[in-house]
Amino acid sequence: MASTVVAIATLLGSVACSGPRVIPDNILIDIFHDAYIANAYIDECNINSDSLYIYEPIFERYGYTMDDLQHTIMTFTERKSAMLSDLMHEVNSRIDAESKVENRKMIILDTIDNIAKRAYTRTIYSDTLIRVKHMRDTTKLRITISDLIPAEYSVSFDYLIDSLDENRNSRIEAYLLTYDTVQTLRHTMMLSRYRGKAICPDCLGKRLRKEAEYVLVGGKSITELNQMPITQLAEWFEQLAMGNRQLDEAFGILLTEIRSRLQFMQDVGLGYLTLNRMSSTLSGGEGQRINLAKSLGSSLVGSLYVLDEPSIGLHPRDTQRLIHVLKQLRDLGNTIVVVEHDDEIQKAADYSIEIGPKAGRHGGELVYAGAPKIEKFTYSLPPYRRTWNNYIEVIGATENNLKNIDVRIPLGVMTCITGVSGSGKSSLAKGILYPALRRLLFDTGQKPGDHDSLEGDVAMLRSVEIVDQNPIGKSSRSNPVTYLKAYDEIRKLYADQPQAVHTGLTAASFSFNVAGGRCEECQGEGTIKVSMQFMADVELICDACHGKRFKDEVLEIKYRGKSIYDTLEMSVDDAIKFFSEDKSNATCRRIVERLQPLQDVGLGYIRLGQSSSTLSGGESQRVKLASFLSKDNDTKQIMFIFDEPTTGLHFHDINRLLRAFNALIANGHTIVIVEHNMEVIKCADWVIDLGPEAGDKGGNIVFEGTPQELEKCEESHTGRFLKEHNR
């Protein structure tokens, strides 16, 4: 899109006409869309930049010229300036006019909001945002309504509530600045559909100046070494020798250090990575293991290492390597504390501490401490394997290390994509399958990875969703019950209480996100953050609400003896039991219906008001899963892609997860799982095993079929471990 705009700007003034006109919003959007397509054609066909005449017919097709575009832009700039001036004037006038009205503050707020809405409809991007809203409604994009619809702004007006007469102009200017910022963000969101990333034509993605490649060691430049997998790089350094004797001693020390650090990376199962791999593309488990390798290289002693599930993303074949590294750190004189569910790592421990017996408020007690005592826990095989006739086929996948493979993904069943770490699983599922389906179904989303085509029964799918471990909300106010829309019903229940009706409290009064019923001292946070300048900030419990987040008049409203604060402090299990007792209340029944999926996925222990920021990656993933389980069953044929959903899950909770998967499949959906857990793999209907190794030695299809057939595949590492697991 940027190149399109530059090209159009180049032609501004090239077409002369008299009396330029303002291009209507809807036509302007269509022109820019056609120009974008034309620009893509120019790039694809390598048309000379002098051939920019291709844009002129686009404007002529709609009955306009390039001068009309220039005039439209200038008019919009003037219009926007006048709009803001008019808005300032009108707000000032209304404040003066309503100064003697009892409820003048609310009238002023309503006035400003309505004026802003009118101003919004006058921008040239209004039609685009309407289209984005439609796209959001049809594709279920994770975009809040407040980002799109002016009638539902989430812009805070709290600064206008207090001391309206003081610094009136500066407060209005602050509002205008906020409003303009929102418009800028929307503009950026609109342009994002037409923007993308491309490899730098100068360095070809190597990120170094060409002069850096002039220096060679052993006939290879530093960019060539950075692009080699660590396993291959280690072999190259083992064979490397220097001919200059004067450098032998210094080079030998350096070479020994390089070989040692590369070996540490292989020991933790990361031999498939390249040195130029971006850290942002690493999984949490890979990042953790890189820190382990760094610790081994530092040779520190007397240190305490605390590791949170280091086996994440690790194939059972590589677990023994990880255990070996942990023992190396221990033998150096360090203390290793590991939070882990993997039974192999538990067996290798010197001392075991079990906390429980259950989760949440029912846990937190010392159940066992002593030598590891691990009982093998396994689930029975499903009574039958679901069969399939329809499928999605990825043709010619070559993203990252994939070797031009053709893969069929069955529809209406549970498919596991397996393989050793670095074999190409994520490249296939998250890099190609998900974005390619998004492009085909909705004509939106990121560019898919390298592949020839996506064929098969795509028309049978209505949507595709990826359920990863990213947080469900970045705000400290977000929580699981707001994510599942259960809190809407809870607020409605309290607003219907006789005392609430008598005092004029509405459902909005029981929200800690908006002004009204929340504690304004802490803005509904329950805590106040005190800046300590150059030291870490300190969080203190709010003195006004004592951490309860609401005003006293709101807390006085009770349902069956429970205030809104008491309800938010309940666990999901307790809340389901509490609201189920009132069987005659329709609102209570809806609350239970929306909370039940959380219990079904093993999250009955979390509190209703628990901040989303305190949830682990695995818990966030299961909250997303619960949100899909809670939706109506009329939305059929959605493909769900899960990336290691068993992360952070105890053996006993995996069975609940499998039941949730079966519920989605029973509703007509498709499940695709990237997984290493043998219990999940053996319960799948179809398995796609990639490998046989990692990095450049992976990326091939080792096996396709049922788990029973996988056990017989001698070339598959997954099949071998699955066979041992089922003994």
Side-chain angles (χ1 to χ4, degrees), residues 119-131:
Y120 167 88
T121 60
R122 297 172 64 184
T123 68
I124 66 170
Y125 303 115
S126 60
D127 189 59
T128 299
L129 296 176
I130 292 172
R131 294 188 181 187

Side-chain angles (χ1 to χ4, degrees), residues 42-301:
I42 291 174
D43 293 340
E44 183 178 353
C45 300
N46 294 319
I47 298 177
N48 191 283
S49 58
D50 295 333
S51 304
L52 295 176
Y53 63 85
I54 192 172
Y55 293 106
E56 188 174 339
I58 296 174
F59 284 84
E60 293 178 352
R61 185 189 312 162
Y62 291 94
Y64 294 92
T65 66
M66 302 292 288
D67 281 351
D68 292 334
L69 173 65
Q70 186 178 29
H71 180 68
T72 300
I73 295 174
M74 293 177 62
T75 303
F76 170 69
T77 304
E78 296 171 356
R79 188 171 62 183
K80 183 177 180 180
S81 177
M83 174 191 72
L84 296 180
S85 178
D86 293 344
L87 179 60
M88 284 278 292
H89 178 74
E90 187 168 351
V91 170
N92 279 318
S93 300
R94 287 296 299 271
I95 289 176
D96 294 335
E98 305 292 347
S99 59
K100 298 181 180 180
V101 180
E102 184 177 355
N103 296 323
R104 61 189 179 91
K105 294 181 180 180
M106 297 304 298
I107 294 175
I108 292 169
L109 294 182
D110 182 66
T111 301
I112 294 175
D113 200 25
N114 285 324
I115 296 172
K117 294 171 193 175
R118 292 206 306 272
Y120 167 88
T121 60
R122 297 172 64 184
T123 68
I124 66 170
Y125 303 115
S126 60
D127 189 59
T128 299
L129 296 176
I130 292 172
R131 294 188 181 187
V132 173
K133 176 189 176 295
H134 175 72
M135 183 174 64
R136 182 251 182 205
D137 293 338
T138 56
T139 64
K140 301 184 182 354
L141 291 176
R142 300 302 179 202
I143 303 173
T144 59
I145 295 292
S146 60
D147 291 333
L148 301 174
I149 306 177
E152 298 184 40
Y153 272 146
S154 60
V155 179
S156 175
F157 300 102
D158 294 340
Y159 50 80
L160 288 171
I161 296 293
D162 301 320
S163 306
L164 275 173
D165 294 328
E166 299 178 8
N167 302 320
R168 182 173 61 188
N169 289 335
S170 62
R171 291 176 183 274
I172 297 172
E173 290 171 0
Y175 170 80
L176 295 177
L177 179 62
T178 304
Y179 179 78
D180 197 48
T181 303
V182 173
Q183 293 289 69
T184 303
L185 292 173
R186 291 184 172 134
H187 181 201
T188 304
M189 183 180 67
M190 186 270 291
L191 291 180
S192 65
R193 326 182 35 184
Y194 305 105
R195 289 173 173 169
K197 294 182 179 180
I199 296 176
C200 174
D202 193 19
C203 69
L204 301 177
K206 297 176 182 178
R207 297 187 289 178
L208 293 175
R209 296 168 57 184
K210 60 182 179 181
E211 290 83 359
E213 295 191 85
Y214 296 160
V215 181
L216 303 178
V217 176
K220 291 186 179 294
S221 66
I222 188 169
T223 56
E224 291 178 294
L225 298 180
N226 283 337
Q227 293 171 354
M228 296 170 61
I230 288 174
T231 302
Q232 184 179 341
L233 187 63
E235 294 175 356
W236 185 85
F237 272 108
E238 286 294 333
Q239 301 171 1
L240 181 63
M242 293 291 288
N244 192 340
R245 294 184 177 180
Q246 295 179 353
L247 299 177
D248 281 351
E249 185 175 353
F251 178 75
I253 297 173
L254 184 60
L255 190 60
T256 301
E257 184 69 14
I258 292 174
R259 289 170 176 171
S260 175
R261 292 184 180 273
L262 291 176
Q263 186 59 48
F264 293 149
M265 294 289 286
Q266 295 182 85
D267 291 342
V268 296
L270 296 178
Y272 58 90
L273 295 180
T274 58
L275 295 185
N276 64 348
R277 177 79 173 265
M278 298 288 291
S279 59
S280 59
T281 64
L282 299 174
S283 67
E286 288 172 334
Q288 195 174 47
R289 278 176 276 151
I290 288 176
N291 288 329
L292 271 178
K294 179 182 177 182
S295 299
L296 278 174
S298 65
S299 299
L300 289 175
V301 298

Side-chain angles (χ1 to χ4, degrees), residues 499 503 505 510 551-559 562-564:
Q499 188 177 352
T503 54
L505 295 176
F510 297 89
K551 295 179 179 179
D552 291 338
E553 54 265 34
V554 174
L555 295 173
E556 290 176 358
I557 308 300
K558 295 186 178 182
Y559 169 73
K562 301 285 186 181
S563 67
I564 187 68

Side-chain angles (χ1 to χ4, degrees), residues 486-501:
Y487 196 43
D488 296 345
E489 298 296 335
I490 293 174
R491 291 190 291 112
K492 181 181 177 181
L493 177 66
Y494 276 90
D496 290 339
Q497 300 306 305
Q499 188 177 352
V501 175

